[in-house]
C-alpha cells in the first residue's frame, strides 16, 4: 500500500550506517590484536631486531634521532631503539605475569566466596575489600622499599594489588550462575561440588573473567611504569618505565628520550583495551542471540503526506488490511505477519489469540508503528485508525496519534514505568492541554476508574513501592489518560497472579463500560478471551486463521487449529478427550507454501499443499480448505484458481 | 494408601530481610510450619500465588535449600542425619523439573552429554550402553527419532522439546518422586497439554509421585489427587483435589477459585458489576491469620491468634481458619 521506493531507500541508509559501525567495532579488535602481535614479536625477537646491544655505549650521548641512531641516544649513549625493543620484553613480561597472578588469586578467592557463600564469603570479601582500599602504589612502594628493587618483587607487588577486581567479577558470576536452574539440577542429581564448579560454572563464567584478565595487562603496564618512574624499578632490567625514569631529568634538552617509551606504553595499553572491548563485545553477542531491540522509529518513510487521507468504510475504528511484516533475523527472514485483515469497531472488545511465534506481538507493534526498525524487511498494507492511514503518517503525526488516539498496555509494567518518577506525575504527563488543577482532577478520576487510591499520598509513590497488580493498573491509567479511541492490551495480565489478574481484567471491563473506548486484547490465554471479549481473531504462523464471535468460537470452533487450542485448555470438555495437537508452532523463518498448519493437522489432505483461501462466512471467517466449498450460513467462497492467495467474498 | 516416600515435618524457612537503615535483620518466613506426606504414584498439587512460598517448599523438599526448622524425612530418617549413602539414594529417588526450560541446561553441552552425565555419576555403563540408555530416555519422553536430538544443543530445541529433555534428565536416575515446579507455565498452550499428558503417562507407567507446584487451578482440577493451598508460607487448606476445587472452604481458596477464569464465554466470572476491590496488601506482622487483612470473614480473633490446620466440614479436608472451624464445630 505505501510507497515501496522510499522505505527501501530509508532501509538502505540505515543498513549502511550499521555495517559501518560494525566494521569499526570489529576494527577495534583487529587493530588491537595486530598491534599486540607486533609488540609481542618485537619483544621476542628483540636480540635480533635491535641494531645495537642495549647496554652498548656509543660516542654520541643525548643524540637526536639520526640515520645512525633512528630514535636517538640517551645520556649515556645507549641506542634508544635497541633499548625500546629490549624494554618491551621486560614490560610485557612483568605485565603478563602480574595479570596471571591477579587472575589466579582473583579466580581462587572469587570462586570460593561465590560458591560457598555465608561466612566464607564474608571473610574473603572483607579481605578483598581491604586490598582494594589500600592504595596500590603505596603498597608496592613499601614492599619494594623493604625488600629491594627486584623485577620479580615489582611483578608480585603489582599482581597483589590488582586482583580484587577480578575476584569480585568471579564472585558475582558464581552468585548468578549458582542460582541458575541447570546448576540446581546438577545438585539435585547428586553431583559433587568439584564437578559443579569446574564443569557447570567455570565454562559459563569464562567471558567476563577473560576480559578482565586482558584489561589487567593494561593496568599492570601502567603500574609498572608508575613504579619505575618513582625510581622503584629494577635498575638492571631496562623496562619502558625505567627509560622514562632515566629521561625525566633531560626532558628539556632531549625530548625524544621520554617520547618513545611514552608512545610505546600508550599504544600498548590502548591495544590491550581494544582487545578487551572486542572480547567483551564478542562474549555479549554470543550470550544474547536473537534479542531484538525495539526502537520507537518508523523506518517506513512516508511519501510527503498531504492531508491525512480519510479512507475506510467508516464502520471500523481500526481497519487493518493486507498487513505484512517480515523481519530479518541474521540471514533468515521471519514472516511475522502475512496479509492480516483485522477490524475493530468502536466500543468493541476484540481478542487476538495466538501462541508464541504466531506473530501477534509484531501485529500490535506494527499497528503502533513501533517495529524494530533495523530489522524490518517488508512492511506493507493498510492500517487505518478512525479513517487515518497510519502507514502514511510521518513520525511527528504518528507520535500525536499514539499520544491521543491509541494507547497500549504492555505485559511487563515495571519496564514501562519510569522508576524515578512519581506515579501521579507519570499519569499526568500522558495528558495534553489541561491546566495543572484540571490535570490533578482528571488524574484522580482515572485512578478511581482503575480502582486505585486517589490520595495525594498514593500519587507521590514510586513504581517500586507498588504491588504488581497496582503497577499494571497504573499502566492502564496512563493509557487511559489521553482518552484514547482504541486501547491495545498486549498480554496485560500474563505476569500476574490469578487473583490480581482477575482484578486487572475487572478493571479493564469496568473502564470499557464507562467509556466508548474500543479494546484489542492480545493474548495467548483463551480464558481471557472467553471472559472479556465480544469477538476474536485467532492467529497462527503469522496469519489470521479464524475470526468469530466469541460465543461461537468456543462452542463451534471452525479451524482445526482453534479446535486444537480448545482441546488444550483445561476445563473445556474437549480437554479430557485428549485430542491434543502434536508438534509445535510452525517456524516463521521457514513456512510451507501451502497451509501453515497442515503439518499438525489431522484433517490435512492434498489440497492443503496450496495456500488455503480466506473463507468469509457472514461476519466471520476461516482460512481453511475444509470450508472453501461448503456453503456457510450466509456467504460462500468463490472458487478461484489455487494460485490466487486469497479468496474473499462478503 | 502407600507409605509416604518423603515426609515434610514442620518445615520452616526464614530469610533475612535486609534493610538499609537497620543493622538488625528481622527474619521473614518464606515457609512456615508445613507438614506434608509425599506418596508414590500420587499427585499432590501445591497451589499458591507468587510469594506464597511454594517454590521455596519445592527446593526444601529437594534438599537444595536447608530448612531453618523442621526436617525432610526420607526412609524414616531426617535428611540432616543422613550419611553419604542415604544421600546418594535420596538423589536417585527424588528429582526435580524446573519451570523454565531455557535456563535449565548448561548451554555448552549437547543433549547426549546432558543426559549421559547423571548416568555416569550413578553407574559405570559402557559407551554403547550409555548411548542406548540415552536413546531410550529420549524415546520415553517422546523425542523420536532419538538420533535427531542426541547431538543438538538445548538452545536449538523448541520450548516443549527442551521441557521433554528436562523430564528425561529427571528420569535418568529412575526416580520414584518428582518435584515439578511450574513445569508448564513457560510453554505455549498446545505444548502445555502435550507435556502434561507426558507427565501423566509417566506416572501411570512408572508409578511416580509428583509434587506439582502451580498457580493454575484449572490444572489442579484436571490432574491432582490431593491439593495443598499455600498463602504467605502456610498451608491454609488441604484435601482431596475434587473436594477442594468443588467446595473450597478457606476464604482464600474461595477467592482463588472465584478469580480463576472461566473457559466458557457463557459463564463469565469476571463481571463489570463487581468493581475491583483494592487492597494494599498489609504487611504480615506474624500475629494472627496472615489473610485477615484481605478476608471478608475476619473477626477480632483472626488478628491476634494464628489459626492452625484442623478438620473442616468437608470430609478429608483440613482448613486453617478460625471462622470456618468454629462454624463446622457447631454443626
Amino acid at each position: 500500500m505505501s510507497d515501496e521506493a522510499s522505505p527501501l531507500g530509508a532501509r538502505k541508509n540505515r543498513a549502511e550506517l550499521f555495517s559501518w559501525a560494525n566494521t569499526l567495532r570489529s576494527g577495534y579488535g583487529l587493530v588491537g590484536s595486530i598491534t599486540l602481535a607486533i609488540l609481542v614479536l618485537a619483544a621476542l625477537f628483540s636480540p635480533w631486531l635491535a641494531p645495537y646491544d642495549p647496554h652498548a655505549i656509543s660516542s654520541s650521548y643525548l643524540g637526536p634521532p639520526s640515520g645512525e641512531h633512528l630514535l636517538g641516544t640517551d645520556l649515556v649513549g645507549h641506542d634508544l631503539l635497541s633499548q625500546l625493543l629490549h624494554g618491551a620484553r621486560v614490560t610485557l613480561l612483568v605485565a603478563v605475569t602480574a595479570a596471571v597472578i591477579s587472575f589466579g588469586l582473583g579466580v581462587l578467592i572469587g570462586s570460593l566466596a561465590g560458591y560457598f557463600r555465608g561466612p566464607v564469603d564474608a571473610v574473603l570479601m572483607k579481605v578483598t575489600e581491604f586490598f582494594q582500599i589500600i592504595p596500590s602504589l603505596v603498597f608496592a612502594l613499601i614492599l619494594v622499599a623493604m625488600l629491594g628493587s627486584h623485577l620479580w618483587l615489582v611483578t608480585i607487588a603489582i599482581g597483589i594489588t590488582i586482583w580484587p577486581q577480578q575476584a569480585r567479577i568471579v564472585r558475582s558470576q558464581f552468585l548468578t550462575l549458582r542460582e541458575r536452574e541447570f546448576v540446581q539440577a546438577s545438585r539435585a542429581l547428586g553431583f559433587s561440588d568439584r564437578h559443579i564448579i569446574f564443569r557447570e560454572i567455570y565454562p559459563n563464567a569464562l567471558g567476563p573473567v577473560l576480559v578482565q584478565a586482558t584489561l589487567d595487562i593494561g593496568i599492570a603496564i601502567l603500574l609498572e611504569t608508575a613504579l619505575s618512574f618513582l625510581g622503584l624499578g629494577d635498575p638492571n632490567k631496562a623496562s619502558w618505565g625505567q627509560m622514562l625514569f632515566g629521561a625525566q631529568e633531560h626532558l628539556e634538552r632531549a625530548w625524544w628520550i621520554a617520547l618513545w617509551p611514552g608512545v610505546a606504553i600508550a599504544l600498548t595499553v590502548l591495544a590491550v583495551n581494544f582487545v578487551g572491548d572486542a572480547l567483551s563485545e564478542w562474549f555479549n553477542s554470543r550470550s544474547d542471540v536473537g534479542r531484538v531491540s525495539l526502537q520507537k522509529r518508523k523506518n517506513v518513510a512516508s511519501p510527503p503526506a498531504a492531508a491525512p487521507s480519510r479512507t475506510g468504510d467508516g464502520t471500523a475504528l481500526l481497519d487493518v488490511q493486507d498487513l505484512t511484516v517480515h523481519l530479518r533475523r541474521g540471514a533468515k527472514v521471519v514472516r511475522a505477519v502475512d496479509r492480516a485483515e483485522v477490524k475493530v469497531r468502536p466500543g468493541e472488545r476484540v481478542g487476538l489469540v495466538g501462541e508464541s511465534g504466531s506473530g501477534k506481538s509484531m501485529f500490535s507493534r506494527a499497528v503502533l508503528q513501533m517495529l524494530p526498525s533495523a530489522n524490518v524487511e517488508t512492511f506493507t498494507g493498510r492500517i487505518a485508525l478512525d479513517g487515518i492511514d497510519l502507514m502514511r503518517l510521518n513520525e511527528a503525526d504518528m507520535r500525536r496519534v499514539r499520544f491521543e488516539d491509541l494507547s497500549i498496555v504492555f505485559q511487563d509494567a515495571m519496564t514501562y514505568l519510569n522508576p524515578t518518577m512519581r506515579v501521579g506525575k507519570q499519569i499526568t504527563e500522558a495528558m495534553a492541554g489541561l491546566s495543572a488543577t484540571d490535570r490533578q482532577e482528571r488524574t484522580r478520576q482515572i485512578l478511581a476508574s482503575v480502582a486505585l487510591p486517589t490520595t495525594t499520598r498514593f500519587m507521590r509513590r514510586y513504581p517500586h513501592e507498588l504491588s504488581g497488580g497496582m503497577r499494571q493498573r497504573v499502566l492502564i491509567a496512563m493509557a487511559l489518560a489521553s482518552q484514547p479511541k482504541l486501547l491495545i492490551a498486549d498480554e496485560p495480565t500474563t505476569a500476574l497472579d490469578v487473583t490480581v489478574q482477575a482484578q486487572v481484567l475487572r478493571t479493564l471491563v469496568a473502564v470499557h463500560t464507562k467509556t466508548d473506548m474500543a479494546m484489542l486484547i492480545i493474548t495467548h490465554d483463551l480464558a481471557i478471551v472467553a471472559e472479556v471479549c465480544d469477538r476474536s481473531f485467532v492467529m497462527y504462523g503469522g496469519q489470521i486463521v479464524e475470526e468469530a464471535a466469541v460465543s461461537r468460537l468456543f462452542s463451534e470452533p471452525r479451524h482445526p487449529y482453534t479446535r486444537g487450542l480448545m482441546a488444550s485448555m483445561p476445563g473445556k470438555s474437549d480437554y479430557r478427550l485428549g485430542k491434543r495437537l502434536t508438534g509445535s508452532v510452525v517456524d516463521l523463518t521457514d513456512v510451507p507454501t501451502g497451509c501453515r498448519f497442515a503439518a499438525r493437522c489431522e484433517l490435512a489432505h492434498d489440497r492443503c499443499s496450496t495456500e488455503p483461501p480466506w473463507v468469509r462466512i457472514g461476519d466471520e471467517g476461516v482460512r481453511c480448505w475444509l470450508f472453501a466449498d461448503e456453503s456457510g450460513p450466509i456467504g460462500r467462497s468463490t472458487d478461484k484458481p489455487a494460485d490466487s492467495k486469497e479468496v474473499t467474498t462478503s | 494408601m502407600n507409605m509416604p516416600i518423603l515426609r515434610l515435618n514442620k518445615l520452616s524457612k526464614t530469610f533475612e530481610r535486609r534493610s538499609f537503615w537497620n543493622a538488625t535483620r528481622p527474619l521473614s518466613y518464606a515457609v512456615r510450619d508445613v507438614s506434608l506426606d509425599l506418596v508414590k504414584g500420587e499427585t499432590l498439587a501445591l497451589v499458591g500465588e507468587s510469594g506464597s512460598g511454594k517454590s521455596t517448599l519445592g527446593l526444601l523438599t529437594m534438599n537444595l535449600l536447608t530448612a531453618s526448622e523442621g526436617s525432610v524425612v526420607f526412609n524414616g530418617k531426617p535428611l540432616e542425619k543422613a550419611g553419604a549413602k542415604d544421600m546418594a539414594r535420596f538423589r536417585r529417588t527424588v528429582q526435580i523439573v524446573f519451570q523454565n526450560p531455557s535456563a535449565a541446561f548448561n548451554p555448552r553441552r549437547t543433549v547426549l552429554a546432558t543426559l549421559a552425565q547423571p548416568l555416569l555419576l550413578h553407574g559405570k555403563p559402557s559407551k554403547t550402553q550409555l548411548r542406548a540408555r540415552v536413546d531410550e530416555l529420549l524415546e520415553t519422553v517422546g523425542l523420536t527419532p532419538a538420533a535427531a536430538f542426541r547431538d543438538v544443543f538445548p538452545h536449538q530445541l523448541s520450548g516443549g522439546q527442551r521441557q521433554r529433555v528436562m523430564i528425561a534428565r529427571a528420569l535418568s536416575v529412575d526416580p520414584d518422586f518428582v518435584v515439578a515446579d511450574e513445569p508448564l507455565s513457560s510453554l505455549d498452550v498446545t505444548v502445555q497439554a502435550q507435556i502434561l499428558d507426558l507427565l501423566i503417562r509417566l506416572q501411570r507407567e512408572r508409578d511416580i509421585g509428583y509434587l506439582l507446584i502451580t498457580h493454575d487451578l484449572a490444572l489442579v482440577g484436571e490432574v491432582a489427587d490431593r491439593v495443598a493451598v499455600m498463602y504467605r508460607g502456610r498451608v491454609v487448606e488441604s484435601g482431596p483435589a475434587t473436594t477442594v476445587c468443588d467446595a473450597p472452604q478457606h476464604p482464600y481458596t474461595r477467592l482463588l477459585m472465584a478469580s480463576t477464569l472461566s473457559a466458557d464465554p457463557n459463564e463469565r466470572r469476571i463481571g463489570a458489576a463487581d468493581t475491583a476491590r483494592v487492597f494494599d496488601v498489609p504487611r504480615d506482622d506474624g500475629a494472627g491469620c496472615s489473610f485477615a487483612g484481605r478476608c471478608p470473614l475476619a473477626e477480632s480473633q483472626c488478628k491476634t491468634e494464628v489459626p492452625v490446620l484442623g478438620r473442616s466440614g468437608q470430609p478429608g479436608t483440613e482448613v486453617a481458619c478460625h471462622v470456618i472451624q468454629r462454624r463446622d464445630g457447631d454443626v
Side-chain angles (χ1 to χ4, degrees):
Chain A
M1 273 290 197
S2 78
D3 192 340
E4 280 289 339
S6 59
L8 267 176
R11 211 179 305 129
K12 200 167 156 229
N13 282 342
R14 213 168 164 78
E16 272 169 15
L17 188 78
F18 272 92
S19 67
W20 180 73
N22 274 333
T23 325
L24 187 75
R25 197 182 294 150
S26 57
Y28 274 129
L30 195 67
V31 169
S33 1
I34 290 178
T35 316
L36 267 192
I38 293 175
L39 273 167
V40 170
L41 284 177
L44 280 177
F45 295 103
S46 54
W48 295 276
L49 286 174
Y52 301 93
D53 182 329
H55 302 294
I57 295 166
S58 74
S59 52
S60 75
Y61 59 94
L62 289 184
S66 65
E68 201 178 338
H69 299 285
L70 281 176
L71 302 183
T73 57
D74 68 3
L75 184 68
V76 194
H78 296 146
D79 177 54
L80 280 180
L81 178 60
S82 309
Q83 285 236 311
L84 199 65
L85 285 167
H86 280 269
R89 282 192 136 182
V90 180
T91 302
L92 287 181
L93 187 70
V94 170
V96 171
T97 315
V100 167
I101 292 174
S102 151
F103 179 82
L105 274 174
V107 169
L108 181 71
I109 298 202
S111 23
L112 286 176
Y115 191 79
F116 292 103
R117 303 190 296 187
V120 179
D121 183 28
V123 170
L124 288 177
M125 277 300 109
K126 283 283 169 280
V127 173
T128 312
E129 278 160 21
F130 174 73
F131 272 93
Q132 218 162 17
I133 52 166
I134 43 172
S136 47
L137 267 180
V138 175
F139 178 73
L141 267 170
I142 294 171
L143 206 65
V144 171
M146 275 165 49
L147 300 169
S149 337
H150 301 288
L151 194 61
W152 57 267
L153 208 59
V154 173
T155 311
I156 291 175
I158 294 172
I160 286 182
T161 51
I162 60 180
W163 65 267
Q165 188 58 25
Q166 183 70 277
R168 283 177 166 274
I169 288 174
V170 174
R171 172 174 172 270
S172 75
Q173 285 287 315
F174 261 76
L175 289 180
T176 322
L177 287 166
R178 203 178 179 283
E179 299 305 318
R180 287 283 290 276
E181 290 177 345
F182 66 87
V183 176
Q184 295 272 13
S186 291
R187 291 177 63 205
L189 285 162
F191 284 102
S192 63
D193 286 343
R194 207 184 59 184
H195 170 97
I196 290 169
I197 293 177
F198 285 98
R199 306 294 299 279
E200 308 288 347
I201 295 183
Y202 273 146
N204 290 295
L206 205 59
V209 177
L210 275 185
V211 172
Q212 181 60 32
T214 322
L215 298 179
D216 274 352
I217 295 179
I219 297 170
I221 291 178
L222 291 178
L223 267 179
E224 193 273 342
T225 310
L227 283 176
S228 298
F229 195 74
L230 291 174
L232 295 169
D234 188 336
N236 301 318
K237 301 280 178 358
S239 67
W240 292 340
Q242 284 289 315
M243 290 174 72
L244 277 179
F245 176 59
Q248 58 180 318
E249 286 165 28
H250 314 288
L251 280 177
E252 281 158 30
R253 276 182 296 163
W255 50 267
W256 53 88
I257 309 182
L259 180 69
W260 308 128
V263 167
I265 289 166
L267 267 183
T268 316
V269 173
L270 209 58
V272 167
N273 285 353
F274 277 3
V275 170
D277 280 352
L279 265 181
S280 101
E281 192 78 32
W282 183 64
F283 279 114
N284 284 342
S285 71
R286 282 203 322 171
S287 58
D288 49 26
V289 184
R291 190 175 291 173
V292 187
S293 68
L294 268 182
Q295 289 156 10
K296 284 194 183 181
R297 261 205 61 155
K298 263 210 309 185
N299 77 325
V300 182
S302 28
S309 53
R310 290 215 158 235
T311 47
D313 51 17
T315 59
L317 174 68
L318 177 71
D319 185 6
V320 177
Q321 283 176 21
D322 213 22
L323 177 68
T324 299
V325 179
H326 293 176
L327 301 167
R328 266 191 310 272
R329 186 189 294 154
K332 293 176 175 166
V333 172
V334 184
R335 301 170 69 109
V337 182
D338 253 328
R339 319 194 66 163
E341 312 258 336
V342 169
K343 281 193 176 67
V344 179
R345 290 186 276 269
E348 214 182 4
R349 292 188 298 218
V350 177
L352 179 64
V353 190
E355 296 178 89
S356 60
S358 63
K360 60 184 194 303
S361 292
M362 279 306 147
F363 178 86
S364 70
R365 304 220 139 104
V367 170
L368 283 158
Q369 307 281 320
M370 280 168 63
L371 289 168
S373 52
N375 303 309
V376 175
E377 176 82 21
T378 317
F379 181 25
T380 57
R382 207 181 79 98
I383 303 169
L385 182 73
D386 206 13
I388 298 172
D389 190 349
L390 303 186
M391 298 289 275
R392 289 170 179 276
L393 295 184
N394 60 30
E395 180 57 26
D397 287 338
M398 187 61 221
R399 203 176 297 131
R400 214 182 53 231
V401 169
R402 275 192 223 116
F403 193 67
E404 290 173 2
D405 300 332
L406 185 61
S407 289
I408 187 158
V409 175
F410 289 105
Q411 170 182 345
D412 189 0
M414 200 59 200
T415 16
Y416 290 94
L417 290 173
N418 182 344
T420 60
M421 201 193 277
R422 297 180 193 279
V423 167
K425 176 105 174 118
Q426 301 205 38
I427 298 171
T428 323
E429 290 242 311
M431 290 174 199
L434 288 174
S435 71
T437 43
D438 285 351
R439 287 184 178 202
Q440 283 295 321
E441 191 46 44
R442 175 110 186 84
T443 305
R444 279 179 217 277
Q445 283 171 14
I446 293 171
L447 283 174
S449 73
V450 295
L452 284 172
T454 55
T455 54
T456 313
R457 196 171 135 258
F458 178 79
M459 287 196 270
R460 291 183 58 79
R461 286 165 89 174
Y462 288 98
H464 72 265
E465 297 173 307
L466 307 179
S467 67
M470 286 181 149
R471 272 184 226 140
Q472 196 67 26
R473 271 179 284 177
V474 169
L475 210 62
I476 295 175
M478 285 169 67
L480 295 177
S482 61
Q483 294 177 293
K485 293 171 185 147
L486 175 68
L487 178 77
I488 298 180
D490 192 348
E491 302 275 12
T493 59
T494 301
L496 303 176
D497 279 326
V498 275
T499 53
V500 183
Q501 161 169 293
Q503 291 167 29
V504 170
L505 291 179
R506 259 184 214 127
T507 307
L508 278 175
V509 172
V511 164
H512 176 263
T513 43
K514 274 181 218 147
T515 58
D516 179 33
M517 180 185 69
M519 294 199 309
L520 178 63
I521 296 177
I522 296 170
T523 180
H524 70 282
D525 190 349
L526 278 167
I528 291 180
V529 174
E531 286 284 356
V532 177
C533 298
D534 311 322
R535 208 155 55 82
S536 182
F537 294 87
V538 180
M539 219 173 161
Y540 183 81
Q543 293 177 318
I544 304 285
V545 295
E546 182 159 358
E547 173 189 356
V550 164
S551 55
R552 156 149 199 130
L553 190 74
F554 282 76
S555 59
E556 273 179 79
R558 289 197 177 98
H559 197 281
Y561 172 65
T562 318
R563 288 184 217 165
L565 262 186
M566 298 288 170
S568 303
M569 194 176 164
K572 288 289 290 181
S573 56
D574 293 353
Y575 181 83
R576 263 162 245 184
L577 301 177
K579 287 186 294 188
R580 301 283 187 271
L581 285 181
T582 52
S584 52
V585 179
V586 66
D587 180 2
L588 288 176
T589 60
D590 183 23
V591 295
T593 50
C595 173
R596 297 188 180 177
F597 184 64
R600 298 174 75 183
C601 183
E602 280 184 330
L603 304 168
H605 52 293
D606 48 351
R607 272 190 303 181
C608 301
S609 58
T610 49
E611 189 166 348
W614 175 247
V615 185
R616 275 239 151 257
I617 303 167
D619 258 358
E620 306 181 336
V622 60
R623 186 185 298 280
C624 180
W625 279 114
L626 293 174
F627 297 86
D629 37 31
E630 175 187 295
S631 31
I634 298 164
R636 53 165 297 159
S637 71
T638 51
D639 288 317
K640 279 197 184 166
D643 59 351
S644 109
K645 288 278 156 59
E646 302 215 359
V647 182
T648 315
T649 57
S650 48
Chain B
M1 198 162 102
N2 288 335
M3 269 291 291
I5 296 178
L6 284 180
R7 181 161 257 172
L8 310 186
N9 189 13
K10 301 198 164 185
L11 282 181
S12 293
K13 178 71 188 174
T14 53
F15 290 105
E16 282 178 350
R17 200 186 284 151
R18 281 173 190 254
S19 153
F20 187 80
W21 301 111
N22 201 343
T24 61
R25 294 171 180 162
L27 296 178
S28 78
Y29 279 85
V31 169
R32 197 155 192 175
D33 202 15
V34 172
S35 300
L36 290 170
D37 285 351
L38 306 178
V39 183
K40 205 171 150 84
E42 192 185 272
T43 301
L44 170 63
L46 196 59
V47 182
E49 298 183 280
S50 54
S52 64
K54 58 188 195 305
S55 288
T56 308
L57 188 62
L59 293 178
L60 289 174
T61 309
M62 287 300 302
N63 202 31
L64 290 173
L65 273 182
T66 319
S68 314
E69 292 155 39
S71 55
V72 178
V73 182
F74 173 63
N75 249 353
K77 220 188 266 178
L79 274 185
E80 67 266 19
K81 292 196 185 122
K85 217 169 145 195
D86 284 327
M87 217 42 221
R89 238 192 90 200
F90 173 76
R91 290 293 179 214
R92 283 198 303 274
T93 312
V94 187
Q95 270 306 309
I96 188 161
V97 170
F98 291 100
Q99 168 179 8
N100 183 358
S102 47
F105 297 102
N106 189 329
R108 285 161 212 278
R109 217 172 266 154
T110 62
V111 169
L112 177 69
T114 303
L115 295 179
Q117 285 225 317
L119 296 175
L120 287 167
L121 177 74
H122 292 287
K124 294 260 175 299
S126 73
K127 230 175 181 169
T128 42
Q129 278 173 328
L130 192 66
R131 204 157 249 262
R133 184 88 180 87
V134 167
D135 284 4
E136 190 191 315
L137 280 172
L138 287 173
E139 273 155 26
T140 312
V141 296
L143 292 173
T144 48
F149 295 97
R150 235 187 271 135
D151 300 315
V152 299
F153 285 93
H155 62 86
Q156 294 169 302
L157 298 172
S158 72
Q161 288 167 339
R162 263 181 245 157
Q163 194 60 288
R164 285 173 195 271
V165 176
M166 182 141 60
I167 293 170
R169 176 170 65 190
L171 291 180
S172 64
V173 294
D174 215 359
D176 291 332
F177 198 87
V178 172
V179 174
D181 187 356
E182 300 271 11
L184 308 179
S185 58
S186 67
L187 303 174
D188 275 327
V189 188
T190 56
V191 181
Q192 285 187 5
Q194 295 167 14
I195 298 295
L196 193 60
D197 289 347
L198 171 65
L199 289 172
I200 293 170
R201 176 167 65 79
L202 291 172
Q203 179 166 54
R204 246 181 249 135
E205 287 172 6
R206 299 167 173 236
D207 202 28
I208 296 177
Y210 290 122
L211 179 65
L212 178 67
I213 300 172
T214 181
H215 66 276
D216 188 352
L217 281 155
L219 194 67
V220 173
E222 293 292 340
V223 300
D225 301 303
R226 286 189 302 144
V227 59
V229 181
M230 282 186 85
Y231 184 76
R232 297 247 182 125
R234 291 180 198 271
V235 172
V236 295
E237 179 161 3
S238 80
T242 43
T243 321
V244 173
C245 287
D246 294 344
Q249 297 295 303
H250 194 281
Y252 176 66
T253 319
R254 287 190 212 161
L255 174 68
L256 268 186
M257 292 312 292
S259 305
T260 307
L261 303 183
S262 153
D264 185 348
N266 298 318
E267 282 177 34
R268 292 190 170 167
R269 292 182 194 154
I270 310 277
D274 178 10
T275 35
R277 214 158 56 84
V278 156
F279 24 81
D280 220 351
V281 177
R283 186 152 295 199
D284 186 6
D285 51 8
C289 172
S290 45
F291 189 62
R294 293 170 72 177
C295 184
L297 307 179
E299 297 170 356
S300 56
Q301 185 193 9
C302 302
K303 301 207 165 68
T304 52
E305 199 179 315
V306 180
V308 287
L309 269 182
R311 281 187 40 221
S312 79
Q314 292 293 325
T317 67
E318 288 188 313
V319 174
C321 174
H322 295 306
V323 181
I324 301 288
Q325 281 168 356
R326 187 154 1 96
R327 183 199 70 190
D328 293 344
D330 292 344
V331 173

